[in-house]
Amino acid sequence: MSQPSTTPPGDVEGTSATSLLRFATAGSVDDGKSTLVGRLLHDSKSVLADQLEAVELASRSRGQEAPDLALLTDGLRAEREQGITIDVAYRYFATPRRRFILADTPGHVQYTRNMVTGASTAELAVVLVDARNGVVEQTRRHAAVAALLRVPHVVLAVNKMDLVGYEESVFAAIAEEFTRYAASLGVPEITAVPISALVGDNVVTPSAHMDWYAGPTVLEHLETVPVAHDPSDDVARFPVQYVIRPQTPELPDYRGYAGQIASGVLRVGQPVTVLPSGRTSTIEGIDALGAAVDVAWAPQSVTLRLTDDLDISRGDLIAPAEASVSPSQDLTATVCHLHDSPLTVGRRVLLKHTTRTVKAIVKQIPSRLTLDDLSQHPEPGELTANDIGRVVLRTAEPLAVDPYADSRRTGSFLLIDPADGSTLTAGMAGDAFAEAAADAADGGRAAADDEGWDF
Amino acid sequence: MTTATATGEPTDSPYALSHLDALESEAVHIFREVAGEFERPVILFSGGKDSIVMLHLALKAFAPAPVPFALLHVDTGHNFPEVIEYRDRTVAEHGLRLHVASVQEFIDRGELRERPDGTRNPLQTVPLLRAIEDHRFDAVFGGGRRDEEKARAKERVFSLRDEFGGWNPRRQRPELWQLYNGRHAPGEHVRVFPLSNWTELDVWQYIAREKIELPQIYYAHEREVFARSGMWLAPGEWGGPREGEAVERRQVRYRTVGDMSCTGAVDSDADTIEKVIAEIAASRLTERGATRADDKLSEAAMEDRKREGYF
């Protein structure tokens, strides 16, 4: 296995490779999510002196004695005035073990779309519940969004344990109910942690109040959860972004296909098919941002050179010859509608899939899904903002789309308003939930995996 | 937001990517996406470290071909001479095309008025928007990072601006997966932030890893400074020192590089990249809080300026 030489040997001090975890948080308005995020930043020493000073000042001016950690994360003036978060905000922090990107999403009902947005790039989702209320409709909705977006890891943070006397039985009941539900939706990995964001129990430092809990704190789990699954398990996909042709006297014939590997592993010498044309060639060279390599994998941005001079342009997909995909003009998907104007049957839209944008028409909306109980509403006629539903589309040109279950990158798409360019809808090709969820709606129960916590 | 430098973790897979490789791949993807979807992109280039890293990534994204974008510098007229020299040398070295939008020219024509405090950073918006309009730029790359400030935490990678250059946080498009929507009406443009997900420490680690040359004022050096508003400022024609402000020689370096009137130096003996990284990792002040007077104006200062069309 030859490694790409993008990182020079002989590590510069302080530039040691660490990994990057993207995760999202979801919680209802009063679950204390801002406090949890503030606590994570504060206790991991990611809040610097001047930021803390500003928070202390603002807290005092509001007559609060202790610094309100929620103020660390409430960004825009409108939100500060309303005391809520209105959009996805991205936070950055690091520990010696890992770099984190947090998509902080509000959890109230009208903002499903924000949670879908935050979860779309997340490898882990933290779902927050209030220990006093347990699993409520919102919690089930958050679990469903995580399952729908195929977020590989879910953490259930049972907050406000201080208000239920740090009772193990309260936590255990909530953890069991949630795990059973999330597993039935096909969430592959669930970890439950009893916390108090306000006091600081089990967020960064282990709680002195809950001897009965022997599992990791939230931060420990974030630091140790596997970041990415093995790309060699996936079929390779390479959407062409841009064709590099210097046409200089030194490089008169250079043609490189630039893009980011969407999934899997590519090797020099590998036979490939170019879609939608179906022409075949072989990978002659891989340039990994300045270094010639023999092998490259998702999500590296590289440039491929092929042995044959084919007519390839932005929007084409390069795939292994033995594991190609059949381009089609018919697409059935689960979507989350994002825009204030409804998505109606017959509406003409633009569809952006990987690096290709084509015209499309909404042929059918077979059903709308209620996330609270996964009930289906047949033929709703339209989807309004924050609705999740099934949609059948017909595209003007064939697209090489994979099931979203196989590839979040080549199975996802956007619908765009051709008139003003607004992003209307986020789509996921193929079935909504993993196999385990197929019978969840009619009371089927998947076996709960109880390795998520340790009493 | 930074903590201790990374000590790394055992990679459990031959396919592991370091955080810098992941961020680099993402930024390159963003540059190529813009090249594929826009007619007239431009990179905002100030000679500061973030724009230098942006240019480095753009060079990598299109190699062995040249970068298919021009550069634009909004020159306040109060720039450090070392930075202007670096800018011109870099442009020549890579055969790039540089457009300069000059705040001074707008003041001389009476289209902008000097502020009583002498700071020119807020005056950059008008020349920037005029340049975008005159050259019909449809995508404008900025070095802004979401970790810099609370209003920026909500910024998109592709940020739509109306015909007045304004940013409306409620009108921003949802951004999902790695699917960026760059569609815009004539007269509108899109600001693109390839370093959205980078932190200050990431930028410095990347500069070290890639051995990128920076203007010397980022490293510790002796210079004449005077104290104002709790910062070390450099004397110059921009309006300092005033009466009663004593000039002294100190060993300092700059953590950010901007308008001389509001960019403060910090006491430092970090004269190599390794020392700079160690200093930043241990620092207890955020980048802007320490050295940018204009961001301290109010809790909502950045939000207000972004609405008007600032970077």
Side-chain angles (χ1 to χ4, degrees):
Chain A
M1 179 59 58
S2 69
Q3 288 286 351
S5 48
T6 48
T7 308
D11 213 0
V12 184
E13 190 195 340
T15 63
S16 327
T18 180
S19 54
L20 183 67
L21 178 76
R22 294 169 199 255
F23 74 107
T25 54
S28 319
V29 181
D30 303 318
D31 293 339
K33 188 165 58 67
S34 292
T35 309
L36 170 67
V37 173
R39 171 68 61 191
L40 217 44
L41 300 178
H42 178 268
D43 289 9
S44 66
K45 309 278 190 292
S46 301
V47 181
L48 301 170
D50 54 334
Q51 292 170 316
L52 198 58
E53 191 186 332
V55 165
E56 282 166 355
L57 202 69
S59 303
R60 274 202 301 277
S61 73
R62 297 175 183 207
Q64 292 161 307
E65 279 181 27
D68 181 352
L69 295 179
L71 292 177
L72 282 171
T73 58
D74 291 346
L76 297 180
R77 179 181 298 156
E79 296 169 22
R80 286 192 301 275
E81 284 161 3
Q82 295 169 27
I84 56 157
T85 15
I86 55 167
D87 202 343
V88 186
Y90 292 88
R91 325 259 170 228
Y92 301 84
F93 66 102
T95 68
R97 297 166 82 171
R98 194 168 267 181
R99 261 275 277 119
F100 299 97
I101 299 176
L102 159 58
D104 188 8
T105 65
H108 25 310
V109 60
Q110 64 271 42
Y111 291 121
T112 298
R113 59 184 170 194
N114 291 340
M115 213 173 72
V116 169
T117 301
S120 72
T121 51
E123 287 135 63
L124 179 146
V126 178
V127 175
L128 207 62
V129 301
D130 184 328
R132 296 168 304 175
N133 307 333
V135 176
V136 294
E137 274 187 5
Q138 290 241 53
T139 318
R140 280 193 279 273
R141 190 176 313 120
H142 298 154
V145 169
L148 198 60
L149 274 291
R150 310 273 171 168
V151 179
H153 307 276
V154 171
V155 173
L156 173 73
V158 182
N159 192 24
K160 307 194 184 183
M161 288 298 295
D162 52 317
L163 302 183
V164 294
Y166 295 109
E167 271 300 326
E168 181 182 3
S169 57
V170 175
F171 167 73
I174 295 170
E176 190 191 355
E177 184 185 354
F178 180 87
T179 303
R180 195 179 329 116
Y181 186 74
S184 76
L185 298 177
V187 173
E189 202 260 354
I190 303 150
T191 302
V193 186
I195 68 166
S196 165
L198 194 67
V199 183
D201 295 289
N202 289 337
V203 178
V204 172
T205 43
S207 167
H209 303 106
M210 291 179 273
D211 296 344
W212 46 264
Y213 174 76
T217 65
V218 173
L219 185 65
E220 274 175 69
H221 182 67
L222 293 174
E223 284 182 315
T224 52
V225 75
V227 165
H229 65 292
D230 191 339
S232 60
D233 293 344
D234 303 328
V235 174
R237 294 284 183 256
F238 185 81
V240 176
Q241 269 191 292
Y242 190 76
V243 182
I244 294 176
R245 297 189 62 196
Q247 293 174 301
T248 54
E250 304 80 50
L251 295 162
D253 303 319
Y254 181 99
R255 280 174 77 96
Y257 305 107
Q260 188 169 25
I261 302 173
S263 62
V265 180
L266 292 171
R267 293 169 201 284
V268 171
Q270 189 172 6
V272 291
T273 302
V274 181
L275 299 162
S277 73
R279 292 205 172 84
T280 56
S281 185
T282 303
I283 297 178
E284 183 177 55
I286 303 175
D287 179 4
L289 302 183
V293 296
D294 294 330
V295 58
W297 56 88
Q300 288 183 303
S301 281
V302 296
T303 304
L304 302 184
R305 284 176 293 108
L306 303 183
T307 48
D308 304 272
D309 210 1
L310 302 180
D311 178 22
I312 298 175
S313 56
R314 174 176 167 84
D316 288 352
L317 184 83
I318 295 175
E322 79 283 359
S324 180
V325 52
S326 306
S328 160
Q329 288 177 262
D330 296 296
L331 179 60
T332 302
T334 302
V335 305
C336 175
H337 189 59
L338 309 163
H339 200 263
D340 291 335
S341 72
L343 189 74
T344 49
V345 174
R347 184 160 183 182
R348 289 170 188 276
V349 293
L350 294 168
L351 187 153
K352 182 168 187 181
H353 169 255
T354 63
T355 55
R356 192 179 183 86
T357 303
V358 299
K359 288 179 180 166
I361 186 164
V362 180
K363 297 296 277 186
Q364 219 192 325
I365 303 179
S367 64
R368 183 165 55 80
L369 186 71
T370 299
L371 284 182
D372 306 337
D373 57 2
L374 301 187
S375 58
Q376 308 249 3
H377 306 266
E379 303 294 340
E382 64 174 31
L383 295 175
T384 58
N386 298 298
D387 278 352
I388 307 275
R390 299 284 287 164
V391 167
V392 179
L393 294 148
R394 173 84 180 166
T395 58
E397 297 164 52
L399 288 180
V401 182
D402 288 299
Y404 183 76
D406 295 346
S407 166
R408 291 169 87 185
R409 203 143 179 168
T410 52
S412 57
F413 61 87
L414 300 178
L415 299 184
I416 293 167
D417 185 341
D420 69 0
S422 305
T423 301
L424 299 172
T425 310
M428 292 155 279
D431 294 336
F433 293 106
E435 281 302 301
D439 57 0
D442 53 38
R445 283 189 181 183
D449 166 17
D450 60 1
E451 294 201 346
W453 66 91
D454 188 350
F455 298 118
Chain B
M1 294 200 173
T2 54
T3 55
T5 43
T7 53
E9 58 174 33
T11 53
D12 45 5
S13 153
Y15 301 109
L17 276 195
S18 75
H19 72 296
L20 290 181
D21 285 331
L23 293 168
E24 181 188 55
S25 273
E26 177 183 75
V28 164
H29 174 254
I30 291 162
F31 273 111
R32 290 167 167 179
E33 205 55 17
V34 170
E37 295 215 332
F38 289 81
E39 299 289 320
R40 296 173 70 83
V42 70
I43 301 176
L44 288 173
F45 187 79
S46 64
K49 70 178 187 333
D50 295 324
S51 62
I52 290 169
V53 165
M54 262 206 304
L55 179 59
H56 181 87
L57 288 160
L59 289 163
K60 278 190 148 191
F62 301 102
V67 174
F69 318 128
L71 304 185
L72 171 63
H73 181 209
V74 183
D75 184 352
T76 60
H78 289 165
N79 283 294
F80 292 90
E82 300 92 331
V83 176
I84 296 295
E85 185 270 330
Y86 178 98
R87 176 196 78 184
D88 294 338
R89 197 157 39 84
T90 304
V91 166
E93 188 182 332
H94 298 294
L96 297 156
R97 182 151 175 232
L98 173 74
H99 301 281
V100 178
S102 158
V103 171
Q104 188 65 54
E105 285 176 18
F106 277 74
I107 292 173
D108 293 346
R109 287 199 302 265
E111 291 184 59
L112 280 175
R113 194 182 311 166
E114 195 82 76
R115 292 163 49 111
D117 62 2
T119 183
R120 287 186 173 183
N121 266 14
L123 303 182
Q124 292 178 91
T125 304
V126 171
L128 169 68
L129 295 178
R130 186 76 54 84
I132 291 170
E133 197 179 342
D134 289 350
H135 295 285
R136 301 195 312 283
F137 294 128
D138 53 1
V140 180
F141 290 102
R145 307 190 318 263
R146 287 194 287 221
D147 79 320
E148 287 181 279
E149 199 276 338
K150 277 191 298 207
R152 287 209 173 169
K154 318 236 154 169
E155 184 58 280
R156 303 292 187 264
V157 175
F158 275 42
S159 176
L160 184 70
R161 302 301 167 101
D162 60 24
E163 62 270 45
F164 306 103
W167 175 75
N168 179 347
R170 287 178 181 272
R171 240 200 84 199
Q172 294 302 306
R173 296 165 177 166
E175 213 160 59
L176 294 98
W177 297 291
Q178 290 77 21
L179 290 167
Y180 302 109
N181 176 0
R183 296 190 76 87
H184 56 282
E188 294 182 332
H189 71 277
V190 175
R191 299 278 171 91
V192 182
F193 300 104
L195 306 183
S196 283
N197 288 325
W198 297 49
T199 63
E200 184 187 17
L201 188 59
D202 298 329
V203 168
W204 280 106
Q205 288 179 336
Y206 188 72
I207 288 166
R209 189 186 88 171
E210 302 284 306
K211 301 185 170 57
I212 299 171
E213 188 209 344
L214 294 181
Q216 281 306 305
I217 64 172
Y218 277 110
Y219 300 105
H221 57 290
E222 278 223 347
R223 87 158 47 222
E224 290 197 331
V225 291
F226 63 92
R228 182 185 296 175
S229 321
M231 297 187 301
W232 294 117
L233 296 180
E237 288 176 17
W238 57 267
R242 298 194 195 114
E243 201 163 324
E245 291 176 331
V247 173
E248 52 184 289
R249 277 195 83 74
R250 298 186 74 91
Q251 195 183 36
V252 296
R253 69 173 198 88
Y254 288 88
R255 287 180 67 180
T256 68
V257 164
D259 194 73
M260 285 176 86
S261 63
C262 65
T263 305
V266 292
D267 286 318
S268 170
D269 56 8
D271 54 1
T272 65
I273 185 105
E274 291 77 16
K275 288 183 190 169
V276 167
I277 289 174
E279 186 185 276
I280 288 166
S283 168
R284 301 308 298 149
L285 271 186
T286 50
E287 192 173 323
R288 287 177 174 266
T291 60
R292 281 285 182 91
D294 55 335
D295 290 336
K296 286 188 165 181
L297 296 175
S298 82
E299 214 185 333
M302 178 67 88
E303 189 181 331
D304 289 339
R305 272 190 293 157
K306 283 175 65 76
R307 285 173 180 276
E308 290 163 14
Y310 189 70
F311 310 142

mmCIF file of all heavy atoms in Angstrom, chain B residues 227-247:
data_model
loop_
_atom_site.group_PDB
_atom_site.id
_atom_site.type_symbol
_atom_site.label_atom_id
_atom_site.label_comp_id
_atom_site.label_asym_id
_atom_site.label_seq_id
_atom_site.Cartn_x
_atom_site.Cartn_y
_atom_site.Cartn_z
ATOM 1 N N ALA B 227 1.664 52.757 22.248
ATOM 2 C CA ALA B 227 0.467 52.126 22.798
ATOM 3 C C ALA B 227 -0.770 52.987 22.530
ATOM 4 O O ALA B 227 -0.737 54.198 22.680
ATOM 5 C CB ALA B 227 0.634 51.928 24.303
ATOM 6 N N ARG B 228 -1.848 52.324 22.037
ATOM 7 C CA ARG B 228 -3.149 53.010 21.935
ATOM 8 C C ARG B 228 -4.241 51.952 22.093
ATOM 9 O O ARG B 228 -4.153 50.893 21.487
ATOM 10 C CB ARG B 228 -3.290 53.710 20.580
ATOM 11 C CG ARG B 228 -4.625 54.471 20.485
ATOM 12 C CD ARG B 228 -4.871 55.071 19.122
ATOM 13 N NE ARG B 228 -3.889 56.103 18.777
ATOM 14 C CZ ARG B 228 -3.858 56.703 17.576
ATOM 15 N NH1 ARG B 228 -4.723 56.355 16.647
ATOM 16 N NH2 ARG B 228 -2.950 57.632 17.315
ATOM 17 N N SER B 229 -5.246 52.257 22.887
ATOM 18 C CA SER B 229 -6.370 51.349 23.129
ATOM 19 C C SER B 229 -5.893 49.942 23.498
ATOM 20 O O SER B 229 -6.457 48.949 23.049
ATOM 21 C CB SER B 229 -7.291 51.240 21.902
ATOM 22 O OG SER B 229 -7.448 52.470 21.282
ATOM 23 N N GLY B 230 -4.804 49.875 24.259
ATOM 24 C CA GLY B 230 -4.339 48.565 24.715
ATOM 25 C C GLY B 230 -3.642 47.749 23.654
ATOM 26 O O GLY B 230 -3.502 46.541 23.796
ATOM 27 N N MET B 231 -3.244 48.392 22.534
ATOM 28 C CA MET B 231 -2.539 47.655 21.481
ATOM 29 C C MET B 231 -1.237 48.378 21.133
ATOM 30 O O MET B 231 -1.126 49.585 21.304
ATOM 31 C CB MET B 231 -3.397 47.588 20.208
ATOM 32 C CG MET B 231 -4.688 46.835 20.372
ATOM 33 S SD MET B 231 -5.525 46.652 18.780
ATOM 34 C CE MET B 231 -5.736 48.349 18.278
ATOM 35 N N TRP B 232 -0.266 47.630 20.607
ATOM 36 C CA TRP B 232 0.942 48.248 20.052
ATOM 37 C C TRP B 232 0.683 48.574 18.586
ATOM 38 O O TRP B 232 0.474 47.686 17.778
ATOM 39 C CB TRP B 232 2.142 47.292 20.146
ATOM 40 C CG TRP B 232 2.583 46.975 21.540
ATOM 41 C CD1 TRP B 232 2.584 45.754 22.147
ATOM 42 C CD2 TRP B 232 3.107 47.906 22.501
ATOM 43 N NE1 TRP B 232 3.069 45.862 23.431
ATOM 44 C CE2 TRP B 232 3.394 47.172 23.678
ATOM 45 C CE3 TRP B 232 3.353 49.281 22.495
ATOM 46 C CZ2 TRP B 232 3.922 47.759 24.827
ATOM 47 C CZ3 TRP B 232 3.873 49.870 23.644
ATOM 48 C CH2 TRP B 232 4.155 49.113 24.790
ATOM 49 N N LEU B 233 0.686 49.854 18.258
ATOM 50 C CA LEU B 233 0.473 50.258 16.867
ATOM 51 C C LEU B 233 1.783 50.769 16.279
ATOM 52 O O LEU B 233 2.660 51.261 16.996
ATOM 53 C CB LEU B 233 -0.591 51.356 16.779
ATOM 54 C CG LEU B 233 -2.007 50.951 17.218
ATOM 55 C CD1 LEU B 233 -2.962 52.128 17.075
ATOM 56 C CD2 LEU B 233 -2.519 49.766 16.404
ATOM 57 N N ALA B 234 1.899 50.658 14.935
ATOM 58 C CA ALA B 234 3.114 51.122 14.263
ATOM 59 C C ALA B 234 2.920 52.569 13.822
ATOM 60 O O ALA B 234 1.876 52.905 13.263
ATOM 61 C CB ALA B 234 3.391 50.246 13.042
ATOM 62 N N PRO B 235 3.915 53.430 14.068
ATOM 63 C CA PRO B 235 3.793 54.821 13.631
ATOM 64 C C PRO B 235 3.719 54.873 12.102
ATOM 65 O O PRO B 235 4.259 54.011 11.408
ATOM 66 C CB PRO B 235 5.107 55.469 14.096
ATOM 67 C CG PRO B 235 5.739 54.501 15.024
ATOM 68 C CD PRO B 235 5.206 53.146 14.694
ATOM 69 N N GLY B 236 3.024 55.901 11.596
ATOM 70 C CA GLY B 236 2.941 56.013 10.145
ATOM 71 C C GLY B 236 2.126 57.235 9.778
ATOM 72 O O GLY B 236 1.575 57.917 10.640
ATOM 73 N N GLU B 237 2.047 57.460 8.473
ATOM 74 C CA GLU B 237 1.336 58.648 8.000
ATOM 75 C C GLU B 237 -0.164 58.551 8.238
ATOM 76 O O GLU B 237 -0.890 59.510 8.060
ATOM 77 C CB GLU B 237 1.598 58.837 6.496
ATOM 78 C CG GLU B 237 3.016 59.309 6.212
ATOM 79 C CD GLU B 237 3.282 59.398 4.728
ATOM 80 O OE1 GLU B 237 2.301 59.418 3.955
ATOM 81 O OE2 GLU B 237 4.457 59.429 4.342
ATOM 82 N N TRP B 238 -0.623 57.370 8.635
ATOM 83 C CA TRP B 238 -2.053 57.184 8.834
ATOM 84 C C TRP B 238 -2.570 57.945 10.043
ATOM 85 O O TRP B 238 -3.782 58.090 10.208
ATOM 86 C CB TRP B 238 -2.374 55.691 8.974
ATOM 87 C CG TRP B 238 -1.637 55.025 10.086
ATOM 88 C CD1 TRP B 238 -0.449 54.368 10.004
ATOM 89 C CD2 TRP B 238 -2.031 54.962 11.449
ATOM 90 N NE1 TRP B 238 -0.066 53.901 11.227
ATOM 91 C CE2 TRP B 238 -1.018 54.255 12.128
ATOM 92 C CE3 TRP B 238 -3.129 55.429 12.174
ATOM 93 C CZ2 TRP B 238 -1.081 54.005 13.505
ATOM 94 C CZ3 TRP B 238 -3.186 55.177 13.535
ATOM 95 C CH2 TRP B 238 -2.161 54.480 14.186
ATOM 96 N N GLY B 239 -1.671 58.405 10.926
ATOM 97 C CA GLY B 239 -2.196 59.207 12.036
ATOM 98 C C GLY B 239 -1.705 58.757 13.396
ATOM 99 O O GLY B 239 -2.461 58.776 14.365
ATOM 100 N N GLY B 240 -0.465 58.387 13.484
ATOM 101 C CA GLY B 240 0.057 58.047 14.796
ATOM 102 C C GLY B 240 1.551 58.226 14.813
ATOM 103 O O GLY B 240 2.183 58.193 13.752
ATOM 104 N N PRO B 241 2.163 58.452 15.954
ATOM 105 C CA PRO B 241 1.487 58.629 17.241
ATOM 106 C C PRO B 241 0.928 60.057 17.405
ATOM 107 O O PRO B 241 1.397 60.969 16.759
ATOM 108 C CB PRO B 241 2.616 58.390 18.243
ATOM 109 C CG PRO B 241 3.853 58.785 17.506
ATOM 110 C CD PRO B 241 3.619 58.492 16.067
ATOM 111 N N ARG B 242 -0.077 60.173 18.253
ATOM 112 C CA ARG B 242 -0.585 61.510 18.611
ATOM 113 C C ARG B 242 0.236 62.051 19.774
ATOM 114 O O ARG B 242 1.079 61.357 20.330
ATOM 115 C CB ARG B 242 -2.054 61.433 19.028
ATOM 116 C CG ARG B 242 -2.980 60.953 17.937
ATOM 117 C CD ARG B 242 -4.431 61.229 18.301
ATOM 118 N NE ARG B 242 -5.332 60.444 17.430
ATOM 119 C CZ ARG B 242 -6.120 59.468 17.867
ATOM 120 N NH1 ARG B 242 -6.139 59.155 19.162
ATOM 121 N NH2 ARG B 242 -6.893 58.809 17.039
ATOM 122 N N GLU B 243 -0.087 63.269 20.129
ATOM 123 C CA GLU B 243 0.633 63.873 21.243
ATOM 124 C C GLU B 243 0.404 63.046 22.506
ATOM 125 O O GLU B 243 -0.714 62.595 22.767
ATOM 126 C CB GLU B 243 0.120 65.289 21.483
ATOM 127 C CG GLU B 243 1.105 66.148 22.243
ATOM 128 C CD GLU B 243 0.766 67.629 22.093
ATOM 129 O OE1 GLU B 243 0.312 68.028 20.997
ATOM 130 O OE2 GLU B 243 0.938 68.351 23.079
ATOM 131 N N GLY B 244 1.473 62.833 23.257
ATOM 132 C CA GLY B 244 1.334 62.077 24.499
ATOM 133 C C GLY B 244 1.466 60.589 24.299
ATOM 134 O O GLY B 244 1.428 59.816 25.256
ATOM 135 N N GLU B 245 1.579 60.109 23.031
ATOM 136 C CA GLU B 245 1.772 58.675 22.778
ATOM 137 C C GLU B 245 3.252 58.449 22.514
ATOM 138 O O GLU B 245 3.780 58.901 21.507
ATOM 139 C CB GLU B 245 0.924 58.220 21.578
ATOM 140 C CG GLU B 245 -0.565 58.236 21.897
ATOM 141 C CD GLU B 245 -1.431 57.873 20.702
ATOM 142 O OE1 GLU B 245 -1.011 58.134 19.550
ATOM 143 O OE2 GLU B 245 -2.540 57.340 20.909
ATOM 144 N N ALA B 246 3.893 57.770 23.446
ATOM 145 C CA ALA B 246 5.348 57.630 23.372
ATOM 146 C C ALA B 246 5.729 56.438 22.499
ATOM 147 O O ALA B 246 5.175 55.352 22.636
ATOM 148 C CB ALA B 246 5.911 57.438 24.774
ATOM 149 N N VAL B 247 6.692 56.681 21.602
ATOM 150 C CA VAL B 247 7.182 55.608 20.737
ATOM 151 C C VAL B 247 8.321 54.868 21.434
ATOM 152 O O VAL B 247 9.164 55.486 22.062
ATOM 153 C CB VAL B 247 7.688 56.192 19.396
ATOM 154 C CG1 VAL B 247 8.369 55.108 18.563
ATOM 155 C CG2 VAL B 247 6.532 56.800 18.633
#
